[in-house]
Amino acid sequence: MSAQSVLFDAPGPRARRRILLGNVVGAVVVAGVAALVLLRLADRGQLDPTLWLHAVDADAWRYYYWPGFLNTVRAAALAIVGAMIFGLLFGVGRLSSLLLVRTVCGTVVEFFRAVPVLLMMVFFWLLLANGGVENSSFWGVVIALVLYNGAVVAELVRSGVHGLPGGQREAALSVGLTRGQSLRSVEVPQALVAMLPALVSQLVVVLKDSALGAIISYRELLQNARQLGAGEGNILQALAVAAVLFILINYGLSKLAERLSRTMRRTSGKTGTMAAGLDAGVGTGATAVAAGPATGVEEGPGAGTGDRDHPTRWS
């Protein structure tokens, strides 16, 4: 029995016909709407090849798209690094055994999760501009993205650790690790692997939210595309090119993260296989999973047949 048939009943002949009819009707409606939009654009002259050529010529790439792309990547990369550091620190802080640390970290995380990121951008931009800081729009974008997305990452860390089996913590404590050491060495690394898809989606959000910097005059990709369109009279075409670039960037980031996820899962799978071998030899599976190779030390001569062949190991 397949997993699909377990989740819901397979459709019968009449249901399949209704599904096929619905798909055909939906495709016809989408095609009709697309044709209507294209006709309206043609009536207004927006499909003129000259407008599209000006949107993708060499000067457009040299002076608008490429500088905007670099500014977008620069702000997003710095914000991603800062958000990861912020999220790990405050995520682990929310799991601390000290009530004061948990309260402070929880308050900070919930506050920045609740404040709109655009509001924070405007606030820090005005604050830094009035303070005489250079590139205030850039730093306003970066700080806002770090605080908002770092708070989301912190919540992902907390939920990822809580989603682990309780035996991981118990095994770590049983071999003498403290609560903090268990978090740093055992629980958080496993939680990062488990929550990697959610982290990837959040990194894509960081890249897309950097476009909000256009509101505070940060010359990122969207802002430069708007300026190009305003000067050439082809705002639709310039924004279409910018949209395609954003899609390609996000698609590439998602594929890179998927590959990283598969690599980390294969690595963790091999580690789990080694831990299972230690479990079979020592007879303490939870300790072997939590503590790694250190749990396979001298437990006695009954660890396996290989130990009886080398009795001097236990001398």
Side-chain angles (χ1 to χ4, degrees), residues 209-235:
D209 283 350
S210 65
L212 295 174
I215 305 297
I216 59 174
S217 302
Y218 178 58
R219 293 183 58 85
E220 43 76 52
L221 181 56
L222 179 59
Q223 175 72 0
N224 280 7
R226 290 172 58 186
Q227 291 183 357
L228 172 64
E232 298 289 341
N234 56 352
I235 186 69

Side-chain angles (χ1 to χ4, degrees), residues 9-315:
D9 294 334
R14 295 180 60 184
R16 288 197 295 268
R17 286 195 296 269
R18 288 196 298 266
I19 293 173
L20 178 60
L21 179 61
N23 292 336
V24 171
V25 172
V28 171
V29 171
V30 171
V33 172
L36 180 61
V37 171
L38 290 176
L39 288 175
R40 295 293 299 272
L41 292 176
D43 292 339
R44 299 187 178 186
Q46 293 298 319
L47 297 183
D48 185 0
T50 304
L51 297 177
W52 292 94
L53 290 176
H54 285 312
V56 294
D57 60 11
D59 289 338
W61 287 100
R62 184 183 302 115
Y63 299 113
Y64 293 96
Y65 296 130
W66 182 244
F69 170 79
L70 292 180
N71 288 337
T72 295
V73 171
R74 184 163 63 109
L78 191 57
I80 287 172
V81 174
M84 291 297 297
I85 296 174
F86 182 97
L88 287 174
L89 290 177
F90 282 86
V92 174
R94 295 198 70 179
L95 299 168
S96 174
S97 58
L98 300 177
L99 177 61
L100 178 61
V101 175
R102 288 201 311 271
T103 303
V104 172
C105 292
T107 302
V108 171
V109 169
E110 294 300 330
F111 175 79
F112 287 117
R113 284 181 65 198
V115 179
V117 64
L118 180 58
L119 179 60
M120 286 194 286
M121 283 186 185
V122 175
F123 172 78
F124 286 109
W125 171 53
L126 294 176
L127 180 66
L128 296 174
N130 292 330
V133 178
E134 296 183 0
N135 297 326
S136 58
S137 59
F138 168 75
W139 290 112
V141 170
V142 171
I143 294 174
L145 292 177
V146 167
L147 295 178
Y148 177 78
N149 293 281
V152 176
V153 171
E155 186 63 20
L156 290 176
V157 171
R158 186 190 65 84
S159 60
V161 171
H162 284 172
L164 293 175
Q168 298 294 322
R169 180 183 305 172
E170 295 171 359
L173 296 178
S174 68
V175 297
L177 297 182
T178 64
R179 179 71 179 88
Q181 290 173 335
S182 173
L183 275 175
R184 294 189 299 270
S185 303
V186 178
E187 298 172 65
V188 171
Q190 295 185 61
L192 288 175
V193 176
M195 66 185 185
L196 190 58
L199 278 176
V200 171
S201 64
Q202 196 60 38
L203 299 185
V204 173
V205 170
V206 173
L207 188 61
K208 292 191 297 184
D209 283 350
S210 65
L212 295 174
I215 305 297
I216 59 174
S217 302
Y218 178 58
R219 293 183 58 85
E220 43 76 52
L221 181 56
L222 179 59
Q223 175 72 0
N224 280 7
R226 290 172 58 186
Q227 291 183 357
L228 172 64
E232 298 289 341
N234 56 352
I235 186 69
L236 176 64
Q237 291 75 14
L239 292 180
V241 174
V244 171
L245 291 176
F246 272 113
I247 292 172
L248 292 177
I249 296 170
N250 290 329
Y251 180 78
L253 180 61
S254 299
K255 288 300 180 182
L256 178 63
E258 289 176 5
R259 184 173 181 179
L260 176 62
S261 177
R262 289 194 297 267
T263 302
M264 293 182 67
R265 291 183 187 279
R266 284 198 299 266
T267 304
S268 62
K270 293 178 181 178
T271 305
T273 303
M274 295 175 61
L278 291 174
D279 178 23
V282 180
T284 55
T287 305
V289 172
T295 59
V297 295
E298 292 79 5
E299 292 287 341
T305 56
D307 298 325
R308 290 194 294 268
D309 296 334
H310 302 280
T312 56
R313 177 181 176 183
W314 307 105
S315 58

